[in-house]
Amino acid sequence: MSFLADLLSTVFERRYRGAREPDAKGRSIKELCHDLLGSSGEVSGTILARLILDQYAGMDDAAKIEFFTFLVRDLGIDPPRIRDALDGFEAVPDKASYRRFLAVAEPARQELARRLNQVPGATGRLVGMRRDLLRLARDHPDFAVVDLDFRHLFSSWFNRGFLVLRPINWDSPAGILEKIIAYEAVHAIDSWDDLRRRLAPEDRRCFAFFHPSMPNEPLIFVEVALTRGIPGSVQGLLADAREVIAARDADTAVFYSISNCQAGLAGISFGNSLIKQVVADLSRELPKLSTFVTLSPIPGLARWTGEDGATLAAMKPDLLRQLAAHYLLEAKRPDGTPFDPVARFHLGNGALVHAVHADADVSPNGIAQSGGAMVNYLYDTALISQNHEGFAAAHSIAASPEVTALASAAKPKPA
Amino acid sequence: MSFLADLLSTVFERRYRGAREPDAKGRSIKELCHDLLGSSGEVSGTILARLILDQYAGMDDAAKIEFFTFLVRDLGIDPPRIRDALDGFEAVPDKASYRRFLAVAEPARQELARRLNQVPGATGRLVGMRRDLLRLARDHPDFAVVDLDFRHLFSSWFNRGFLVLRPINWDSPAGILEKIIAYEAVHAIDSWDDLRRRLAPEDRRCFAFFHPSMPNEPLIFVEVALTRGIPGSVQGLLADAREVIAARDADTAVFYSISNCQAGLAGISFGNSLIKQVVADLSRELPKLSTFVTLSPIPGLARWTGEDGATLAAMKPDLLRQLAAHYLLEAKRPDGTPFDPVARFHLGNGALVHAVHADADVSPNGIAQSGGAMVNYLYDTALISQNHEGFAAAHSIAASPEVTALASAAKPKPA
Amino acid sequence: MSFLADLLSTVFERRYRGAREPDAKGRSIKELCHDLLGSSGEVSGTILARLILDQYAGMDDAAKIEFFTFLVRDLGIDPPRIRDALDGFEAVPDKASYRRFLAVAEPARQELARRLNQVPGATGRLVGMRRDLLRLARDHPDFAVVDLDFRHLFSSWFNRGFLVLRPINWDSPAGILEKIIAYEAVHAIDSWDDLRRRLAPEDRRCFAFFHPSMPNEPLIFVEVALTRGIPGSVQGLLADAREVIAARDADTAVFYSISNCQAGLAGISFGNSLIKQVVADLSRELPKLSTFVTLSPIPGLARWTGEDGATLAAMKPDLLRQLAAHYLLEAKRPDGTPFDPVARFHLGNGALVHAVHADADVSPNGIAQSGGAMVNYLYDTALISQNHEGFAAAHSIAASPEVTALASAAKPKPA
Amino acid sequence: MSFLADLLSTVFERRYRGAREPDAKGRSIKELCHDLLGSSGEVSGTILARLILDQYAGMDDAAKIEFFTFLVRDLGIDPPRIRDALDGFEAVPDKASYRRFLAVAEPARQELARRLNQVPGATGRLVGMRRDLLRLARDHPDFAVVDLDFRHLFSSWFNRGFLVLRPINWDSPAGILEKIIAYEAVHAIDSWDDLRRRLAPEDRRCFAFFHPSMPNEPLIFVEVALTRGIPGSVQGLLADAREVIAARDADTAVFYSISNCQAGLAGISFGNSLIKQVVADLSRELPKLSTFVTLSPIPGLARWTGEDGATLAAMKPDLLRQLAAHYLLEAKRPDGTPFDPVARFHLGNGALVHAVHADADVSPNGIAQSGGAMVNYLYDTALISQNHEGFAAAHSIAASPEVTALASAAKPKPA
């Protein structure tokens, strides 16, 4: 903290230590929030914001629950005041009446979050606050309204236009790489050696989105393998002693793992933009790349069949592939969208189901969720728009003839 | 634009060229805006957003007026729907009812701006759009409501926590320096040589705020002179052949020019934060600095006295100083705040009126506005908080004994 | 200078102020040089080196002449000692005898320069020292031996492998750009606006070599125009209101100005490498570029013809072109190489004489040196090696059929 | 490799594949070296240099021995020609005769190395070539003369003025950090977790010298602990669960490990400069630091005593300290310098022996070399110059009174 900030804090906190309370901790976080919302200038605002964030950082779950309850009850909207403002606006729809409406239609907790965000480094701390909120909301459904406000703000702050795509490689800072190890959610990274195998060879790439206010925190990242032909096994891709090819000789880019990093940004969607921009950047760098495809898990297969993964893994490969194809094309939720969450993501982005593979992820997790089956979703630039619109309008699922045939050949879902 | 974006555009724009219209230009910007607000995915969203921004960029004022009128009439709030949502929320205040409320309480044009902002480089273009809006609103008072929405969004996007302070010096990119020349609003920069005199010597500094999404556009900048003692003439500070001192020998930092750069960010306040952070950074670098002071114009003096500046300039220096002191301490607007806009800014930040000088800005502009008089506002870190609060609560103006005495000695305002 | 360096200097300089002399200035630069050559450690070496460089910086020409005379007389080679060492090496050619030989075969002034170079920033100061030396050597031919030592060292220090190519554009630091303005030696840059016209448009490029130890000093730079077709007039290229083309639409890169920046690096050749690397970099960025060509002055034409430039400029264009072609292909120095220095440079690099133009540089300088005629040298990648070897082996000059025909048609040199 | 370079190579290598040999490999490296030394231009030079370096890279030891033998025999000096040139210079000591002398007095292999160095990345490859040379020279003492030439060149290329100091921390590229792990020669780094303990806490620092032409290769690095008071145990410093202190609260900087990274730069001294600059940089950042000290091994103690380390480790701590003090102050080589190599380094830099500790390095290596004893060398800025000169002139060793007393109390060296 800087010299002046120090001085200012001293001067200012004295007031909070002085007149009313024995010490700064004596003034409650609720009172500080009201002070911050009432303060006219930035001079005191930043200091108040810092005090609030620091006090929050020291809280246990009980105190956090009390704080979020305060946000629900005291800093929400006030319907009668909104109705008054609406009446005023309808009577004379001018600048003054509209300003009044805007002021009351937004809950005070949104303005509170914006003012807290003035402190350097606050953005990441607010993302952490929402992570807490989501965790605690499981037992406190009334917190959901606060989460909607966070979500509204974060959608604005983490707007695609503000994100920065950065390659992650073996020259990236160790402090970021250890987060890649920690956040990899699809195919765990065992060690720094394992990480190097995924980053250092010239036929392996990784890209992440960052926000300028959280420069050391990846938001989401994707791991890519450059290959000749479309692979059907993730263990093959990640093998220790595999042959590295020259990047310029690759014809295919395989997105084999996409991981969200920030629990506090759940529901703020970046994945689609990430894939699009990585496809664009790789195309420019390596003009010979002609195929952009995923090698994706089928996380809902075992659950949907009601079998355990070991049973599926013991099936004949072709039968498992038929089953997986059938599942991907036919298993639906009540709203008509695919049962499989990864399928929803890629099909919603305009991909099509290109191929399914047995024995493709033989890790314990891969066996457990799908008996080892995996799927390639293909991003065919000539079809993306059409696929996307078909899916958006009618939940229609685009698939290759081979997968369609497999799905048709499938026996009915095991009883 | 990238390979894939090209491809996607081709595919996508074909639709807009195809089915319904003879060509993309045939589809109106209003229809594109409705399409963008209705689109579910980002695939098409970015392309639509780009089309809208490009179409806007080609518009003349008549078309812009029509566009803003559309934003006023078609993308504002709908009071009956808001009342319905409020009823629902009051009946069952849960997540679903709150989500409905949030969805209708915000005018669609705010969501439109957020979606437009997905396009790389869009932030600066939206700032430019508001600049147009403010200009055209002079003759179209109904545009004021749209401006309030822009202001709401920009307050969030240009939150202090997202801004980056960068020193501007003779090693800065020429592309940025030419903007400093263009935007300097207080003491015009004549030439690149003049600029070098303000940036290159070690006792001259300049700092600007930038937003990460507009990396080549300073938002606001301040010019600082490091001096021994408090100076009383800006021509002295800017003299061609002056003696340069070692930065570490300076005891005073003089903020002699603060310029906002973006007309489209009018009313989004950064100045206060800028001064605070520059004071903090300079304090850390040069621990011997003990005085932080401005050398500021008194833009309202001649207007308030009703005299022209030449008449004021012809007064005895001491009488002009008395007059200026009196004006700064006593001349008020109906709401009780100072008549002088620069005084309002610095006093609101917690500065005090430290000294007034005659013959301090003898440029044509300096003579015209204040007969050459200038003022030092002092940022005394021990008093900032107290001054700020006194000003905020009671419009009380802090001043040095010397200035207070000058003001008392002033004859009543010339009749 | 750092804290410790300060301390060390204080401690160390005390000795030089103490025991033997009244003050540091009392100890002569010659004594300091002997001290530096005799010092075993780096502790004192850096301080001595700094004292020497600082003392040199304050010298007038008379003192510099005395210093260089000292380098000639006292820090040169000692033939008898070299003969001794050779005898020893021939008797027993082992490590010890070879080490003795290396120690005496190199003049002490080379080691002196290396030790001076330990001081941060010394490299540029030594380059400046050689600039002085070259200037003063005009009247002191005995300084030539010192220059040969500088040249030997600089060839090693400024080895191609240590240089860094950087694009110079409108985002480059102003401090570097003002040097580009100052150093442009072929077509003077009038103003910052003129500079912007050469750097900012997307069909204009500039590249410079830098040395890591002189990061703010370009060593040599080249200005490039991207065009459709090969231009025949430099005023056309530099016109204020010309049409800018998209870089990706250009088929030709025109090297229209190459300037050496450092008089102290005269004779250390970079130009060839610069052109080669710029061709390589542009080819990679803009694959449609197929022609790499210069638009070069013909500085020796008027001198060689014995006419003044105005007379040449008054000739019929076709006759001037014939004369220029004849001059470029036939005018030779006693050693058989071309009379024209620019021709020697490009032909030595493997270029060929592609076309000659009248009315191509109508600036006063262009008229004076060649009656306004200019020449395109073509770098045809398929022929560079062959041209280079032909020129190196037999001084044969490659030229297009058109230029060859022009030269043949030329009347004999005007008498 | 770039487009043009590709083209040029194709054109040029064709000659080497064409006329004389069946293919490029058929042309021997010796012939290529003569070609390179004979080539006049850079056009062909870079390609030849690349061919030579590539051919070298593929060699086994037998071929390397043949290559180095070629350098010894064919590219050395020619005494008769040197004598001739000396005669000429003595007869007429002018530029021409001196140029002739310089040309023949330097062995051709030095010029060869300079020309090889034109290839991008060549510097590191030449450092690797010397590493090979030093390894093979153990069995080929005649290679020593080649090494002296390398050493001469590298002293010039790796001159202090060309090196760059960079902090190494947890934000450094992983590719550099893994080299720190590999090169740590004093206290081995076990794992990335161990590395993070040495780099990430704010009271731990690391700095390395780099050369601009080898940006990914540290040349030498030092690890520093910021402490309160002088520590006497390296295991204490490196403990997993120790208390981290605020950097600004430290009064002491402890240099506890210095490692050279490049076997091919053996004998090119950087360590002294590294310590000096790190002391200077830390002093500036943390003005409260008042003590700069090492915690160093005593690698020669056990060897000198003739005891094994376990026996020393079993001694009473005070007796071991006496023994160590005695060893450091009294054990000398025939030339009068200390027996201990680490002592020679630090005492030569101007440090003094400040304290000795038993049980200070209880790792197997620490026990083996010194029974666990370690020593603090103190860099006292007021005494460095005096200590350095005393050591350089008379091998006198500066020590604290405590260490002097310990040494005096020591029993005679165990028989």
Side-chain angles (χ1 to χ4, degrees), chain A residues 77-252:
Chain A
I77 54 170
D78 181 355
R81 291 184 68 204
I82 301 174
R83 284 205 189 82
D84 273 0
L86 281 173
D87 292 346
F89 179 70
E90 284 185 313
V92 187
D94 65 0
K95 185 176 182 178
S97 64
Y98 190 64
R99 188 201 302 268
R100 260 194 310 278
F101 167 74
L102 286 180
V104 299
E106 190 188 68
R109 57 193 171 235
Q110 285 197 20
E111 178 65 15
L112 177 70
R114 275 196 297 269
R115 294 190 176 203
L116 290 175
N117 193 40
Q118 290 170 38
V119 176
T123 311
R125 296 170 82 169
L126 290 166
V127 169
M129 192 183 279
R130 182 171 176 240
R131 188 188 54 225
D132 292 342
L133 177 75
L134 288 169
R135 180 171 50 82
L136 297 169
R138 288 177 212 139
D139 295 326
H140 296 81
D142 56 325
F143 290 0
V145 296
V146 177
D147 181 52
L148 287 174
D149 288 314
F150 266 117
R151 205 161 165 156
H152 181 79
L153 279 176
F154 287 1
S155 295
S156 195
W157 292 355
F158 291 89
N159 192 297
R160 171 66 194 91
F162 295 146
L163 303 187
V164 178
L165 186 74
R166 281 203 229 153
I168 302 290
N169 54 42
W170 196 236
D171 285 331
S172 298
I176 285 177
L177 295 185
E178 68 178 349
K179 286 171 184 161
I180 297 294
I181 294 178
Y183 292 141
E184 158 67 71
V186 185
H187 304 291
I189 301 176
D190 293 335
S191 64
W192 285 82
D193 284 343
D194 190 7
L195 179 68
R196 182 173 35 207
R197 278 196 296 276
R198 301 199 196 185
L199 298 183
E202 69 162 311
D203 60 354
R204 291 295 179 267
R205 302 294 168 91
C206 180
F207 299 87
F209 267 144
F210 289 83
H211 189 276
S213 293
M214 299 167 63
N216 299 315
E217 280 291 341
L219 305 183
I220 187 175
F221 64 90
V222 61
E223 295 167 75
V224 185
L226 304 176
T227 60
R228 279 190 291 254
I230 296 178
S233 156
V234 74
Q235 276 78 29
L237 281 183
L238 299 179
D240 196 344
R242 61 177 190 83
E243 192 197 358
V244 174
I245 67 170
R248 64 176 180 280
D249 293 340
D251 55 21
T252 302

Side-chain angles (χ1 to χ4, degrees), chain B residues 24 62 106 108 120 176 251 293 312 390:
Chain B
E106 190 188 69
I176 285 178
D251 56 20
V293 74
L312 297 181

Side-chain angles (χ1 to χ4, degrees), chain D residues 203-204 225-232 237 242-254 288-291 293:
Chain D
D203 60 354
R204 291 295 179 266
L226 304 175
T227 60
R228 280 190 291 252
I230 297 178
L237 281 183
R242 62 176 189 83
E243 192 197 357
V244 174
I245 67 170
R248 66 176 179 279
D249 293 339
D251 55 21
T252 302
V254 185
K288 284 189 196 160
L289 285 179
S290 55
T291 304
V293 75

Side-chain angles (χ1 to χ4, degrees), chain C residues 252-400:
Chain C
T252 302
V254 185
F255 297 72
Y256 67 90
S257 184
I258 302 177
S259 300
N260 279 292
C261 307
Q262 306 294 329
L265 292 175
I268 316 297
S269 149
F270 320 113
N272 172 341
S273 299
L274 179 66
I275 292 178
K276 271 172 54 187
Q277 182 151 358
V278 169
V279 168
D281 285 10
L282 286 173
S283 295
R284 200 165 27 217
E285 182 197 340
L286 300 166
K288 284 190 196 160
L289 286 179
S290 55
T291 304
F292 296 92
V293 74
T294 74
L295 180 60
S296 299
I298 312 178
L301 181 61
R303 186 154 33 98
W304 177 75
T305 60
E307 303 287 344
D308 67 17
T311 307
L312 297 180
M315 291 172 68
K316 274 192 176 175
D318 281 353
L319 292 180
L320 178 58
R321 293 174 64 227
Q322 289 173 8
L323 180 64
H326 177 81
Y327 163 74
L328 290 168
L329 269 51
E330 304 298 338
K332 299 289 170 70
R333 298 197 300 183
D335 67 0
T337 58
F339 184 84
D340 195 85
V342 175
R344 284 199 300 278
F345 174 75
H346 290 296
L347 297 172
N349 290 342
L352 58 82
V353 185
H354 179 73
V356 292
H357 306 277
D359 295 323
D361 178 3
V362 297
S363 70
N365 185 46
I367 296 294
Q369 68 189 0
S370 61
M374 298 187 83
V375 53
N376 301 123
Y377 297 102
L378 178 71
Y379 282 82
D380 180 336
T381 49
L383 300 174
I384 283 178
S385 182
Q386 171 185 323
N387 292 343
H388 163 72
E389 290 180 26
F391 186 82
H395 305 315
S396 34
I397 296 179
S400 67

Side-chain angles (χ1 to χ4, degrees), chain D residues 314-326:
Chain D
M315 291 173 69
K316 275 193 177 174
D318 281 355
L319 292 180
L320 178 58
R321 293 174 63 224
Q322 290 174 8
L323 181 64
H326 177 81

Side-chain angles (χ1 to χ4, degrees), chain C residues 172-228:
Chain C
S172 298
I176 285 177
L177 296 184
E178 68 178 347
K179 286 172 185 162
I180 297 293
I181 294 177
Y183 292 140
E184 159 66 71
V186 185
H187 305 290
I189 301 176
D190 294 335
S191 64
W192 285 84
D193 283 343
D194 191 6
L195 179 69
R196 183 173 33 206
R197 279 196 296 274
R198 301 199 195 185
L199 297 183
E202 69 163 311
D203 60 354
R204 291 295 180 266
R205 301 294 166 93
C206 180
F207 298 87
F209 267 144
F210 289 82
H211 189 277
S213 293
M214 299 167 64
N216 299 315
E217 280 292 340
L219 306 182
I220 186 174
F221 65 91
V222 61
E223 296 167 75
V224 185
L226 304 176
T227 61
R228 279 189 290 254

